[in-house]
Amino acid sequence: MSRPGTATPALALVLLAVTVAGVGAQGAALEDPDYYGQEIWSQEPYYTRPEPEPETFSPPLPAGPGEEWELRPQEPRAPKRATKPKKAPKRGKSAPEPPPPGKNSNKKVMRTKSSEKAANDDHSVRVVHEDVRESCPPLGLETLKITDFQLHASTVKRYGLGAHRGRLNIQAGINENDFYDGAWCAGRNDLQQWIEVDARRLTRFTGVITQGRNSLWLSDWVTSYRVMVSNDSHTWVTVKNGSGDMIFEGNSEKEIPVLNELPVPMVARYIRINPRSWFDNGSICMRMEILGCPLPDPNNYYHRRNEMTTTDDLDFKHHNYKEMRQLMKVVNEMCPNITRIYNIGKSHQGLKLYAVEISDHPGEHEVGEPEFHYIAGAHGNEVLGRELLLLLVQFLCQEYLARNARIVHLVEETRIHILPSLNPDGYEKAYEGGSELGGWSLGRWTHDGIDINNNFPDLNTLLWEAEDQQNGPRKVPNHYIAIPEWFLSENATVAAETRAVIAWMEKIPFVLGGNLQGGELVVAYPYDLVRSPWKTQEHTPTPDDHVFRWLAYSYASTHRLMTDARRRVCHTEEFQKEEGTVNGASWHTVAGSLNDFSYLHTNCFELSIYVGCDKYPHESQLPEEWENNRESLIVFMEQVHRGIKGLVRDSHGKGIPNAIISVEGVNHDIRTANDGDYWRLLNPGEYAVTAKAEGFTASTKNCMVGYDMGATRCDFTLSKTNMARIREIMEKFGKQPVSLPARRLKLRGRKRRQRG
């Protein structure tokens, strides 16, 4: 008879096993393999759906002396690349191993001997059965989720080419051979070199993506390599193919990513890449990403504390053009009273540039209500901004229906326009390549090869030349500078998308806007063009520099990572000295930027918001990126209500369009909209504000801007000048007012003729 103390735990274990098995079966039944083929809008996002039970692993067998595991895949997968077919690599440093077997190899997984298998079961590496193969997301080398301390290498050429630089798509600095170079490079070119990743927990590794060194002058890349895994970083198991080590085919140039999937997923903590050959005239240099699924580890507090979750019920996935339109339609059907879908024009390939308007009176400009816009996708491969705006559209609709007081106030007091994809042609190219294989530039430009971000007219030079002119009347104002005639001609190198945005901004009196970009984590404000023509970097502030700094900081300071001093730089630039913000010209000069054009040609204050190091993050990263940016996206929109606003009317109460609003001490004016209403972004303080219009006597007021959110009302009533009244009376009776200077000239000419 057994003791009660031992029978109860045994029974509990049996019940627990049955319960777990039942939950696993239920999860498998609920799992919908065609989830993404259904309608886009789902009330149950993917991350809330029950996960399938972890796959069964091969139990480690007792290893006798000299015994080992050998991995024999049933059919090794060929490397995948983003664009053109893979060429045979040049093997300047030939490796002693035999070449990898052909694609039709029919070997099965089996256990044999291996000198690298440890006798201790704690060091064994588990191999996943092939019938449960799954696609795993990136571990996060490119997104910086993997820290520098998790990357190690056998040797390094120097610090700037250390293991911490071996991240997919990392970019080198302007001056190479510094602390920020474009890859990991080994200190020696031999077969003993390696770079490894410590996943810090058991992970199901499924693939490796590699690139060569990012360099303008050097050609360095690895053409073949081995993959090894370990649980303790001392005892390593090499991925096998048949009876020998499997040699994976690497890169044939330095920029296009190449994916190699492991023939059998392997569970371990560490993964190591061992180059076996490299480009003839180059060195062992590489950038990489690892595909892997971290295994559940409920006992590890470190990982549970750092896991990001979201409670927002949104559609977290990448949307192609058709899916984007469908999502907009569903949102419009859910919130028909506050949304409107329209297009501002077409792309080079004829795709419509769709925008979503969110307002309590969609389709009309309300007098006194400011207009705001977000733009994304000017560079088609910078996808995160596009998805963030699509998430924002869903979020605003849902929260408005839920009567979230903050969102209701924002929607009812602001006319919001969201343009998620300015360059849909480029996005479709990037979408075909995919999240990891698109590279750094695929889809960046329009179909006809134009960079939209730098395709606007250069109005800075016209302004500065006028300011430098000492003699003669000034021909260029400090605002609303006209677009040059050459730019408007049909033969000008101007993208169809650029012309559409210009027409859009001229039609709608935007007050504030943000264009979302990728590849960095910073907010850039104008000017973007340096004033000194011989410099490539120079701090070039606008007259509203103090306002732009605040606007940029309002986004950066509420972002979860931008102002974090512990954050690793994305590529080469450190932006912490200005709290996650930067003057565009002091970063890198750009002529014809959207920010500068918007400031000098319209009333709109525009900023560039770089929302992530990874231009095209994996779908699994979208919930975390949404959490990083959600508060910032809302706070930045709310800044449209900072400063002063009002109406400029005549003595009859009629609004005066195109009246000029000047602020003493700020050499940049704005103009009233068609109804005579205006908005002037200003920081807290007291300002002398003047309103003037042609034919009216100017009026000046002192306007106080407080610290509380909400623009200060500052209205003006202008009286007509005497000459304007005379002209109005004469025109009423069909006559023209007498011009005294013209009459004097006429009399002088008559006297000269009489003398002659």
Side-chain angles (χ1 to χ4, degrees):
M1 181 175 179
S2 61
R3 293 176 297 172
T6 58
T8 302
L11 180 60
L13 289 175
V14 171
L15 291 175
L16 178 61
V18 172
T19 303
V20 170
V23 171
Q26 182 182 13
L30 290 175
E31 185 70 20
D32 185 358
D34 295 325
Y35 165 61
Y36 289 128
Q38 298 175 359
E39 185 169 308
I40 283 184
W41 190 271
S42 172
Q43 297 301 318
E44 184 182 19
Y46 80 92
Y47 58 87
T48 62
R49 292 177 173 240
E51 295 182 0
E53 279 291 298
E55 293 84 347
T56 305
F57 301 103
S58 302
L61 297 179
E67 288 187 344
E68 61 171 21
W69 299 93
E70 179 172 309
L71 311 180
R72 293 188 178 180
Q74 187 172 14
E75 184 177 349
R77 300 192 176 215
K80 297 182 180 180
R81 28 186 344 159
T83 53
K84 55 188 178 183
K86 177 121 182 93
K87 297 180 181 178
K90 299 179 181 179
R91 304 212 172 179
K93 311 293 187 296
S94 58
E97 291 86 349
K103 295 182 180 180
N104 297 323
S105 173
N106 196 28
K107 307 285 177 111
K108 296 184 178 180
V109 179
M110 54 189 308
R111 302 181 179 93
T112 58
K113 297 181 180 180
S114 171
S115 59
E116 292 176 308
K117 172 71 176 72
N120 192 336
D121 285 342
D122 292 338
H123 296 163
S124 65
V125 175
R126 292 181 285 182
V127 181
V128 183
H129 290 305
E130 286 187 282
D131 57 354
V132 292
R133 166 179 291 279
E134 66 175 283
S135 176
C136 286
L139 289 186
L141 275 75
E142 184 175 6
T143 62
L144 307 183
K145 191 173 182 180
I146 296 295
T147 69
D148 289 352
F149 301 104
Q150 294 175 256
L151 298 171
H152 308 278
S154 52
T155 61
V156 298
K157 187 168 290 188
R158 53 184 173 76
Y159 176 78
L161 292 167
H164 64 290
R165 303 296 295 175
R167 301 173 181 273
L168 193 72
N169 286 319
I170 204 166
Q171 302 296 293
I174 297 176
N175 303 313
E176 294 188 23
N177 300 318
D178 58 10
F179 286 158
Y180 301 106
D181 227 316
W184 160 70
C185 289
R188 302 184 303 273
N189 290 338
D190 59 48
L191 300 178
Q192 281 69 50
Q193 304 307 310
W194 48 262
I195 180 172
E196 74 179 39
V197 179
D198 176 7
R200 286 183 173 167
R201 62 194 292 183
L202 286 180
T203 302
R204 185 183 303 110
F205 297 115
T206 61
V208 177
I209 304 172
T210 59
Q211 280 175 312
R213 177 180 178 180
N214 175 247
S215 172
L216 293 174
W217 319 110
L218 301 173
S219 298
D220 298 322
W221 59 82
V222 170
T223 56
S224 68
Y225 57 88
R226 293 191 306 177
V227 176
M228 310 161 76
V229 293
S230 171
N231 282 336
D232 59 4
S233 78
H234 297 292
T235 304
W236 293 88
V237 174
T238 304
V239 175
K240 300 289 183 179
N241 187 24
S243 60
D245 297 344
M246 184 168 186
I247 306 300
F248 293 92
E249 200 171 358
N251 300 86
S252 59
E253 56 88 67
K254 54 191 173 186
E255 287 299 335
I256 300 178
V258 174
L259 165 65
N260 279 290
E261 293 182 327
L262 303 187
V264 178
M266 304 187 72
V267 175
R269 172 175 170 174
Y270 301 86
I271 185 168
R272 177 179 286 185
I273 309 302
N274 170 220
R276 309 310 292 169
S277 63
W278 44 94
F279 181 61
D280 280 339
N281 300 319
S283 303
I284 297 178
C285 296
M286 66 189 311
R287 295 173 285 170
M288 66 177 187
E289 181 63 86
I290 304 297
L291 304 183
C293 298
L295 299 185
D297 191 4
N299 298 320
N300 191 322
Y301 171 74
Y302 174 83
H303 293 298
R304 284 188 286 112
R305 182 187 62 183
N306 288 276
E307 287 176 350
M308 172 59 62
T309 58
T310 182
T311 59
D312 293 330
D313 182 18
L314 307 175
D315 190 27
F316 293 102
K317 61 164 288 186
H318 289 297
H319 300 81
N320 61 24
Y321 183 77
K322 181 179 180 181
E323 293 168 335
M324 180 187 72
R325 289 188 307 168
Q326 183 182 353
L327 178 60
M328 290 179 174
K329 179 181 178 182
V330 172
V331 172
N332 179 242
E333 291 172 350
M334 288 185 64
C335 297
N337 296 330
I338 63 166
T339 61
R340 178 176 71 99
I341 303 172
Y342 66 100
N343 73 82
I344 69 169
K346 292 184 178 180
S347 70
H348 184 273
Q349 290 288 87
L351 298 179
K352 293 181 179 179
L353 307 178
Y354 285 106
V356 178
E357 178 191 340
I358 302 176
S359 169
D360 59 340
H361 291 87
E364 61 178 279
H365 170 73
E366 297 181 69
V367 177
E369 186 170 286
E371 310 242 8
F372 175 93
H373 74 250
Y374 271 130
I375 299 173
H379 296 149
N381 64 331
E382 294 171 7
V383 175
L384 179 55
R386 169 194 178 108
E387 295 305 329
L388 287 176
L389 293 190
L390 292 177
L391 291 169
L392 179 62
V393 169
Q394 302 171 55
F395 179 80
L396 293 176
C397 172
Q398 289 185 4
E399 294 301 302
Y400 186 86
L401 293 177
R403 304 312 291 172
N404 180 323
R406 183 186 185 189
I407 300 303
V408 169
H409 180 268
L410 181 64
V411 170
E412 292 182 350
E413 299 298 324
T414 318
R415 191 180 181 205
I416 303 167
H417 303 258
I418 296 177
L419 180 66
S421 186
L422 178 55
N423 181 9
D425 297 347
Y427 173 80
E428 292 302 305
K429 290 182 182 178
Y431 187 81
E432 290 175 7
S435 172
E436 316 310 324
L437 299 179
W440 187 253
S441 60
L442 180 67
R444 174 185 176 90
W445 299 279
T446 63
H447 185 78
D448 48 344
I450 296 176
D451 186 339
I452 298 176
N453 197 47
N454 311 336
N455 193 224
F456 294 84
D458 173 15
L459 305 181
N460 306 58
T461 302
L462 298 176
L463 172 68
W464 295 333
E465 287 178 350
E467 290 180 346
D468 294 338
Q469 186 177 352
Q470 300 295 329
N471 301 320
R474 176 169 174 159
K475 298 181 180 179
V476 178
N478 67 5
H479 71 299
Y480 270 60
I481 300 174
I483 298 176
E485 292 185 7
W486 66 265
F487 188 89
L488 300 174
S489 67
E490 294 183 0
N491 296 328
T493 307
V494 182
E497 298 85 347
T498 305
R499 296 189 189 275
V501 170
I502 291 176
W504 185 47
M505 299 187 72
E506 289 178 336
K507 180 180 180 181
I508 300 176
F510 291 118
V511 180
L512 177 63
N515 57 88
L516 274 56
Q517 302 189 43
E520 268 296 349
L521 200 57
V522 68
V523 181
Y525 54 89
Y527 288 123
D528 290 329
L529 180 66
V530 296
R531 186 156 187 169
S532 303
W534 58 88
K535 293 184 178 180
T536 58
Q537 292 177 312
E538 179 186 42
H539 184 74
T540 309
T542 66
D544 284 288
D545 189 60
H546 58 296
V547 178
F548 275 114
R549 285 176 179 269
W550 168 256
L551 293 171
Y553 184 70
S554 70
Y555 193 100
S557 62
T558 49
H559 190 280
R560 289 186 61 254
L561 298 175
M562 275 191 191
T563 55
D564 187 351
R566 300 166 298 176
R567 179 179 67 83
R568 183 197 186 280
V569 299
C570 291
H571 301 281
T572 65
E573 302 289 345
E574 174 60 69
F575 298 111
Q576 291 307 313
K577 60 183 178 180
E578 291 190 42
E579 299 288 343
T581 69
V582 67
N583 172 254
S586 66
W587 182 14
H588 52 76
T589 184
V590 173
S593 74
L594 172 58
N595 294 348
D596 290 1
F597 168 80
S598 180
Y599 183 67
L600 296 176
H601 185 69
T602 74
N603 286 341
C604 186
F605 285 36
E606 185 91 17
L607 291 84
S608 293
I609 303 170
Y610 294 80
V611 291
C613 305
D614 188 352
K615 291 183 176 183
Y616 197 157
H618 189 269
E619 209 164 74
S620 61
Q621 292 294 118
L622 294 180
E624 181 172 353
E625 293 294 352
W626 168 246
E627 288 294 321
N628 289 342
N629 289 275
R630 178 184 57 193
E631 181 65 15
S632 302
L633 290 166
I634 298 171
V635 167
F636 187 70
M637 285 192 289
E638 291 173 334
Q639 304 313 304
V640 77
H641 296 283
R642 184 173 296 278
I644 60 175
K645 68 177 182 179
L647 283 168
V648 180
R649 293 172 286 198
D650 60 18
S651 56
H652 301 290
K654 184 179 179 181
I656 303 175
N658 293 319
I660 298 174
I661 307 297
S662 301
V663 178
E664 184 178 355
V666 182
N667 186 25
H668 181 79
D669 304 332
I670 64 166
R671 298 196 180 193
T672 58
N674 291 335
D675 298 308
D677 46 351
Y678 77 92
W679 307 263
R680 183 47 163 104
L681 297 177
L682 292 168
N683 284 346
E686 186 174 358
Y687 300 91
V689 182
T690 301
K692 54 187 176 182
E694 185 178 355
F696 292 87
T697 303
S699 175
T700 301
K701 285 185 177 181
N702 287 332
C703 302
M704 177 69 72
V705 178
Y707 288 90
D708 295 335
M709 186 59 67
T712 301
R713 190 67 183 257
C714 202
D715 296 330
F716 294 88
T717 299
L718 304 184
S719 301
K720 291 189 176 181
T721 62
N722 291 333
M723 181 56 70
R725 289 174 184 160
I726 295 172
R727 183 178 292 110
E728 187 178 88
I729 294 171
M730 297 294 288
E731 289 177 351
K732 183 176 181 181
F733 294 98
K735 299 181 179 180
Q736 294 296 325
V738 177
S739 174
L740 295 179
R743 185 174 183 182
R744 291 193 189 101
L745 290 174
K746 188 175 182 180
L747 290 174
R748 288 175 186 171
R750 185 181 299 172
K751 290 179 180 178
R752 290 195 192 98
R753 288 194 296 272
Q754 290 175 352
R755 291 172 187 168

